[in-house]
Amino acid sequence: MPSEDARDGALVFIVGVLCFLACLAVVAALAADRAAHGWRSELRGSATVVVRPSANETADAAAARAAEALAGVKGVDEVEALEKEKAEKLLEPWIGRNALPEDVAIPRLVDVELNDEHPASAAALDAALKAAHVDASLDDHSLWLKDVLRAAFLAQVAALAIAALVACAAGAVIAFATRAALQTRGDLVGVLHLAGAEDGYIAGLFQMRFARLAATAGLAGAGGAAVAAALARLVGGGEGLTPVLPVAWSDLLPLLACPPVAGAIAAVTARMTALSLVRSLT
């Protein structure tokens, strides 16, 4: 077979773009997994208490009593009663600034930081509030944790599905290129058969050719994806471009597998396609 073909450049470009997209999808899946672990540790390591003042005490006094009661619970590292200004700031996205009259009682929030190794349970925190006769609601973030983990799982599945779909598209491109090359060189296949070459040998020629081209394209695509991921890491710092997808330097290591994986996919696809066509031509 000729060592070069005018169509090789276009094939390398197309497969390289597909490898670039697949590598970006893999990086996104890794970043989504890292973000999910970070959110899970933050949500599991904290709790929020909404304190409602009684008629005979102020909201600040009720929040202070709740914080004092929770501080004595085993497994609690730090407790902070948020001031009224902070509570109002949390309400701004929904009701706007200065939308509430001064005489409206706004519930106070108490932020509870739990011990990383032995965190206090929701039952223990709730029992401490009841023992102190504090009218409060405890949010241990379990509901949010389920939503976060579900969203992260769906993001990972979507990213990996995109990578698999792109790999299938690359295989289809290689199959099309193999079919076109075989049909163009039908006379060459006939001469090889007359010389005693078996179908497996002829298919191996196309297999090695397209495996080499795909590996070259995989190297280019992985390199482009590595540059894009590195820029995201440098521009955004430790959180990447966004906290939703924090990119780490370790995410670049799986990209090293792209050239051999692309070459393997091309080799299998080209051999299967070539064997089928060679047998039909002979």
Side-chain angles (χ1 to χ4, degrees):
M1 293 180 63
S3 57
E4 295 183 0
D5 192 307
R7 294 166 293 187
D8 287 350
L11 178 63
V12 170
F13 174 77
I14 294 174
V15 177
V17 171
L18 293 174
C19 290
F20 172 78
L21 297 176
C23 288
L24 287 184
V26 171
V27 171
L30 294 174
D33 180 69
R34 181 178 302 103
H37 279 83
W39 296 336
R40 180 173 57 186
S41 61
E42 289 182 7
L43 289 175
R44 285 182 174 175
S46 63
T48 304
V49 177
V50 180
V51 181
R52 294 174 290 273
S54 59
N56 57 353
E57 69 176 343
T58 64
D60 292 331
R65 284 201 306 117
E68 183 179 357
L70 294 173
V73 178
K74 185 177 180 181
V76 175
D77 286 346
E78 185 179 352
V79 181
E80 179 186 4
L82 301 184
E83 300 175 352
K84 180 182 178 181
E85 290 75 14
K86 292 184 178 181
E88 291 177 346
K89 190 173 182 180
L90 292 175
L91 294 175
E92 283 184 12
W94 288 272
I95 64 175
R97 182 178 299 179
N98 301 323
L100 290 176
E102 291 293 334
D103 56 347
V104 173
I106 299 178
R108 294 295 190 270
L109 299 180
V110 178
D111 185 31
V112 183
E113 295 295 329
L114 305 177
N115 186 271
D116 294 334
E117 298 181 357
H118 303 287
S121 64
L125 298 175
D126 190 56
L129 292 172
K130 290 181 179 178
H133 303 289
V134 178
D135 184 12
S137 300
L138 175 66
D139 181 9
D140 61 351
H141 303 161
S142 58
L143 178 62
W144 306 108
L145 181 60
K146 293 179 182 178
D147 292 338
V148 165
L149 295 181
R150 186 185 302 111
F153 175 75
L154 292 177
Q156 288 177 289
V157 170
L160 294 178
I162 291 174
L165 184 62
V166 170
C168 292
V173 170
I174 294 297
F176 178 80
T178 304
R179 184 180 298 271
L182 266 168
Q183 290 177 346
T184 302
R185 300 187 176 93
D187 54 346
L188 175 61
V189 174
V191 171
L192 290 174
H193 267 293
L194 292 175
E198 297 181 353
D199 293 345
Y201 174 79
I202 299 174
L205 296 177
F206 291 91
Q207 173 185 354
M208 295 303 299
R209 178 187 186 89
F210 289 108
R212 183 175 63 254
L213 292 176
T216 302
L219 182 62
V227 171
L231 289 176
R233 180 66 172 79
L234 292 173
V235 172
E239 292 185 344
L241 288 177
T242 169
V244 178
L245 291 176
V247 180
W249 293 116
S250 59
D251 295 341
L252 304 182
L253 294 178
L255 303 187
L256 297 175
C258 183
V261 169
I265 293 176
V268 173
T269 304
R271 184 172 186 84
M272 293 176 60
T273 306
L275 278 175
S276 176
L277 288 176
V278 166
R279 289 166 182 168
S280 66
L281 290 175
T282 56

